[in-house]
Amino acid sequence: MDQLQYEANRSKNCLIESSVSERLQSEPCWLGVDEAGRGPVLGPMVYGICFSPIADKEKLTELKFADSKTLSEEQRESLFSQINESLHMLGWMVEILSPTYISTSMLSREKYNLNALSHDCAIRLIKQALNRGVNVSEVYVDTVGDATKYQAKLQDIFPNISITVSKKADSLFPIVSAASICAKVARDQAVKNWKFQENISLKEPDYGSGYPGDPKTKKFLEESFDKVFGFPSFVRYSWSTASQIIDKKGVSVLWEDDDDENENKGTPTLTQFFNKKDIKPELVRNRFFTQRQLHHVTSL
């Protein structure tokens, strides 16, 4: 998988896609959606889709796709090669979501949680397939969050497409399994080829699976942490595992504004200098009442 565009700037998301054959544009197709790397504290998350003519469902079953998590890296690479050798009946797309994008999204002023981020990525990929002319008539999605609500959301956006959102869809539908393989191969490659723009040197280059509970991942987080600058961009600093290390070992920062706010309590604001000093603002009646010569009435 050619990831040169992503490797040129790993702080940005990147869309990678196969060619789309004429069959995929002329015949009704089913499309599967799945992700890889949702849970790890390290590296990107990748969403993938795969699509094929509905008439070839049995042929797809013969390729023996399975949930990518149940396969070895070698098996995934082999199946991905088979997908690329079958582009007359298959097509795929992946979007690599950078760790920086994930962290800044989740920590933004307007909260953008991982479920919403995942939903939006899946929707973008389906729309991209439609924009490429793929004749999508059925969509199968491995659920994120409540399957019923997610399915209703997708059905509203794509009313002319049959939508199925299910738990363990990557084990139930071969087209979702194929999407899972594409996503996992893309993430494996992105993590394996990662170059640290911070030019850090590691005692051991093996940072494990990237999951917070992995001892190698924990060791990497400890060794790569800088007390002032925090973690390299490879780390999703929005994860509690990372934020706890920052709170515990990072240097506390006191911003100048914090001191100014304390020192300037009671200091008049700029607008107060333009008020007449002998008039209390709370006693000045609104112009609406004075122009109409309206007065308080205490008795009738």
Side-chain angles (χ1 to χ4, degrees), residues 9 20 29 32 46 56 60 76 78 105 116 126 145 171 173 198 202 205 223 226-227 256 271-272 283 290:
N9 187 350
V20 176
C29 294
V46 180
D56 288 343
L60 208 63
R76 289 192 294 268
S78 175
S105 296
I126 296 170
S171 302
F173 307 104
E198 299 84 1
L202 303 174
E223 291 181 354
D226 183 278
K227 292 183 178 180
E256 290 184 3
T271 55
Q272 288 177 312
L283 297 180
T290 58

Short mmCIF file of all heavy atoms in Angstrom, two decimals, residues 9 20 29 32 46 56 60 76 78 105 116 126 145 171 173 198 202 205 223 226-227 256 271-272 283 290:
data_model
loop_
_atom_site.label_atom_id
_atom_site.label_comp_id
_atom_site.label_asym_id
_atom_site.label_seq_id
_atom_site.Cartn_x
_atom_site.Cartn_y
_atom_site.Cartn_z
N ASN A 9 3.50 13.90 5.64
CA ASN A 9 2.98 14.73 6.74
C ASN A 9 2.07 13.88 7.61
O ASN A 9 0.88 13.76 7.34
CB ASN A 9 2.24 15.95 6.19
CG ASN A 9 1.84 16.91 7.30
OD1 ASN A 9 1.96 16.61 8.48
ND2 ASN A 9 1.37 18.08 6.91
N VAL A 20 -11.25 1.83 -9.46
CA VAL A 20 -12.64 1.37 -9.44
C VAL A 20 -12.98 0.85 -10.84
O VAL A 20 -12.99 1.61 -11.81
CB VAL A 20 -13.60 2.51 -9.05
CG1 VAL A 20 -15.05 2.04 -9.13
CG2 VAL A 20 -13.29 3.00 -7.64
N CYS A 29 -23.70 -3.09 -5.84
CA CYS A 29 -22.60 -3.56 -4.99
C CYS A 29 -22.99 -3.53 -3.52
O CYS A 29 -23.84 -2.75 -3.09
CB CYS A 29 -21.38 -2.66 -5.19
SG CYS A 29 -20.63 -2.76 -6.82
N GLY A 32 -18.64 -2.87 2.74
CA GLY A 32 -18.40 -3.11 4.16
C GLY A 32 -17.52 -2.03 4.76
O GLY A 32 -16.67 -1.45 4.07
N VAL A 46 -7.33 3.76 11.62
CA VAL A 46 -7.60 3.66 10.18
C VAL A 46 -8.99 3.10 9.96
O VAL A 46 -9.37 2.08 10.55
CB VAL A 46 -6.56 2.76 9.47
CG1 VAL A 46 -6.87 2.67 7.98
CG2 VAL A 46 -5.15 3.29 9.69
N ASP A 56 -21.28 -11.36 -6.82
CA ASP A 56 -20.05 -12.11 -6.51
C ASP A 56 -19.92 -12.45 -5.03
O ASP A 56 -18.82 -12.74 -4.54
CB ASP A 56 -18.83 -11.29 -6.93
CG ASP A 56 -18.67 -11.23 -8.44
OD1 ASP A 56 -19.29 -12.06 -9.13
OD2 ASP A 56 -17.93 -10.34 -8.93
N LEU A 60 -16.64 -14.08 -3.03
CA LEU A 60 -15.96 -13.40 -1.94
C LEU A 60 -15.80 -14.34 -0.74
O LEU A 60 -14.77 -14.33 -0.06
CB LEU A 60 -16.75 -12.15 -1.54
CG LEU A 60 -15.93 -11.01 -0.93
CD1 LEU A 60 -14.92 -10.48 -1.92
CD2 LEU A 60 -16.87 -9.89 -0.49
N ARG A 76 -2.77 -11.44 6.79
CA ARG A 76 -3.43 -10.21 6.35
C ARG A 76 -2.78 -9.67 5.07
O ARG A 76 -3.47 -9.25 4.14
CB ARG A 76 -3.38 -9.14 7.45
CG ARG A 76 -4.27 -9.45 8.64
CD ARG A 76 -4.40 -8.24 9.55
NE ARG A 76 -3.16 -7.87 10.19
CZ ARG A 76 -2.77 -8.30 11.38
NH1 ARG A 76 -3.54 -9.15 12.07
NH2 ARG A 76 -1.63 -7.89 11.92
N SER A 78 -1.18 -11.35 2.84
CA SER A 78 -1.51 -12.26 1.74
C SER A 78 -2.91 -12.01 1.21
O SER A 78 -3.14 -11.95 -0.01
CB SER A 78 -1.37 -13.71 2.22
OG SER A 78 -1.79 -14.60 1.21
N SER A 105 -9.03 16.73 18.21
CA SER A 105 -10.48 16.65 18.07
C SER A 105 -11.14 16.36 19.42
O SER A 105 -12.11 17.01 19.81
CB SER A 105 -10.87 15.55 17.08
OG SER A 105 -10.41 15.84 15.79
N ALA A 116 -18.26 9.83 17.64
CA ALA A 116 -18.69 10.79 16.60
C ALA A 116 -17.64 10.88 15.50
O ALA A 116 -17.97 10.93 14.31
CB ALA A 116 -18.92 12.16 17.23
N ILE A 126 -18.10 6.26 2.69
CA ILE A 126 -19.24 5.82 1.87
C ILE A 126 -19.54 6.87 0.80
O ILE A 126 -19.77 6.54 -0.37
CB ILE A 126 -20.48 5.57 2.76
CG1 ILE A 126 -20.22 4.42 3.74
CG2 ILE A 126 -21.70 5.25 1.89
CD1 ILE A 126 -21.29 4.25 4.80
N GLY A 145 -20.73 2.12 19.17
CA GLY A 145 -21.82 2.60 20.00
C GLY A 145 -23.08 1.79 19.77
O GLY A 145 -23.03 0.62 19.36
N SER A 171 -17.07 -10.49 11.48
CA SER A 171 -17.11 -11.96 11.49
C SER A 171 -18.31 -12.52 10.74
O SER A 171 -18.31 -13.69 10.36
CB SER A 171 -17.16 -12.47 12.94
OG SER A 171 -16.05 -12.01 13.68
N PHE A 173 -19.98 -10.84 7.94
CA PHE A 173 -20.09 -10.47 6.53
C PHE A 173 -18.70 -10.39 5.90
O PHE A 173 -17.87 -9.57 6.33
CB PHE A 173 -20.81 -9.12 6.40
CG PHE A 173 -22.13 -9.07 7.11
CD1 PHE A 173 -22.25 -8.39 8.31
CD2 PHE A 173 -23.24 -9.71 6.58
CE1 PHE A 173 -23.47 -8.33 8.97
CE2 PHE A 173 -24.47 -9.67 7.25
CZ PHE A 173 -24.58 -8.98 8.44
N GLU A 198 10.26 14.44 15.93
CA GLU A 198 10.94 15.04 17.07
C GLU A 198 12.39 14.55 17.19
O GLU A 198 13.13 14.99 18.09
CB GLU A 198 10.19 14.69 18.37
CG GLU A 198 8.77 15.19 18.43
CD GLU A 198 7.76 14.27 17.75
OE1 GLU A 198 8.16 13.20 17.23
OE2 GLU A 198 6.57 14.61 17.71
N LEU A 202 15.24 5.92 20.73
CA LEU A 202 14.70 4.98 21.70
C LEU A 202 15.73 3.91 22.03
O LEU A 202 16.46 3.45 21.15
CB LEU A 202 13.44 4.31 21.13
CG LEU A 202 12.30 5.24 20.72
CD1 LEU A 202 11.19 4.43 20.05
CD2 LEU A 202 11.76 5.97 21.93
N PRO A 205 13.46 0.07 20.04
CA PRO A 205 12.50 0.57 19.04
C PRO A 205 11.16 -0.15 19.06
O PRO A 205 10.22 0.29 18.41
CB PRO A 205 13.23 0.33 17.72
CG PRO A 205 14.18 -0.79 18.00
CD PRO A 205 14.60 -0.63 19.43
N GLU A 223 9.64 6.38 28.51
CA GLU A 223 10.94 6.80 27.96
C GLU A 223 10.82 7.96 26.98
O GLU A 223 11.75 8.77 26.85
CB GLU A 223 11.62 5.61 27.26
CG GLU A 223 12.07 4.52 28.22
CD GLU A 223 12.76 3.37 27.49
OE1 GLU A 223 12.77 3.38 26.24
OE2 GLU A 223 13.30 2.47 28.17
N ASP A 226 8.70 13.87 27.60
CA ASP A 226 9.53 15.01 27.96
C ASP A 226 8.75 15.86 28.97
O ASP A 226 7.58 16.18 28.74
CB ASP A 226 9.86 15.84 26.72
CG ASP A 226 10.80 17.00 27.03
OD1 ASP A 226 10.30 18.05 27.51
OD2 ASP A 226 12.01 16.87 26.80
N LYS A 227 9.40 16.25 30.06
CA LYS A 227 8.69 16.95 31.14
C LYS A 227 8.13 18.30 30.70
O LYS A 227 7.16 18.80 31.28
CB LYS A 227 9.64 17.15 32.33
CG LYS A 227 10.00 15.85 33.03
CD LYS A 227 10.89 16.10 34.24
CE LYS A 227 11.21 14.80 34.96
NZ LYS A 227 12.07 15.03 36.15
N GLU A 256 1.16 33.80 32.53
CA GLU A 256 1.16 35.18 33.00
C GLU A 256 -0.24 35.70 33.21
O GLU A 256 -0.50 36.50 34.11
CB GLU A 256 1.91 36.08 32.00
CG GLU A 256 3.41 35.82 31.96
CD GLU A 256 4.11 36.78 31.03
OE1 GLU A 256 3.43 37.67 30.47
OE2 GLU A 256 5.34 36.65 30.85
N THR A 271 -14.42 50.71 29.96
CA THR A 271 -15.72 51.38 29.79
C THR A 271 -16.12 52.17 31.03
O THR A 271 -16.90 53.13 30.92
CB THR A 271 -16.81 50.35 29.48
OG1 THR A 271 -16.83 49.35 30.51
CG2 THR A 271 -16.58 49.68 28.14
N GLN A 272 -15.59 51.78 32.19
CA GLN A 272 -15.95 52.50 33.41
C GLN A 272 -15.43 53.94 33.42
O GLN A 272 -15.97 54.79 34.12
CB GLN A 272 -15.44 51.74 34.65
CG GLN A 272 -16.24 50.47 34.92
CD GLN A 272 -15.68 49.69 36.09
OE1 GLN A 272 -14.47 49.48 36.16
NE2 GLN A 272 -16.54 49.30 37.01
N LEU A 283 -29.13 53.21 38.77
CA LEU A 283 -30.24 54.14 38.93
C LEU A 283 -30.65 54.81 37.63
O LEU A 283 -31.62 55.56 37.59
CB LEU A 283 -29.87 55.22 39.96
CG LEU A 283 -29.61 54.70 41.39
CD1 LEU A 283 -29.25 55.87 42.30
CD2 LEU A 283 -30.81 53.95 41.93
N THR A 290 -37.92 56.98 29.71
CA THR A 290 -37.79 58.43 29.86
C THR A 290 -38.39 59.17 28.67
O THR A 290 -39.02 60.23 28.84
CB THR A 290 -36.31 58.82 30.02
OG1 THR A 290 -35.59 58.35 28.87
CG2 THR A 290 -35.73 58.23 31.28
#
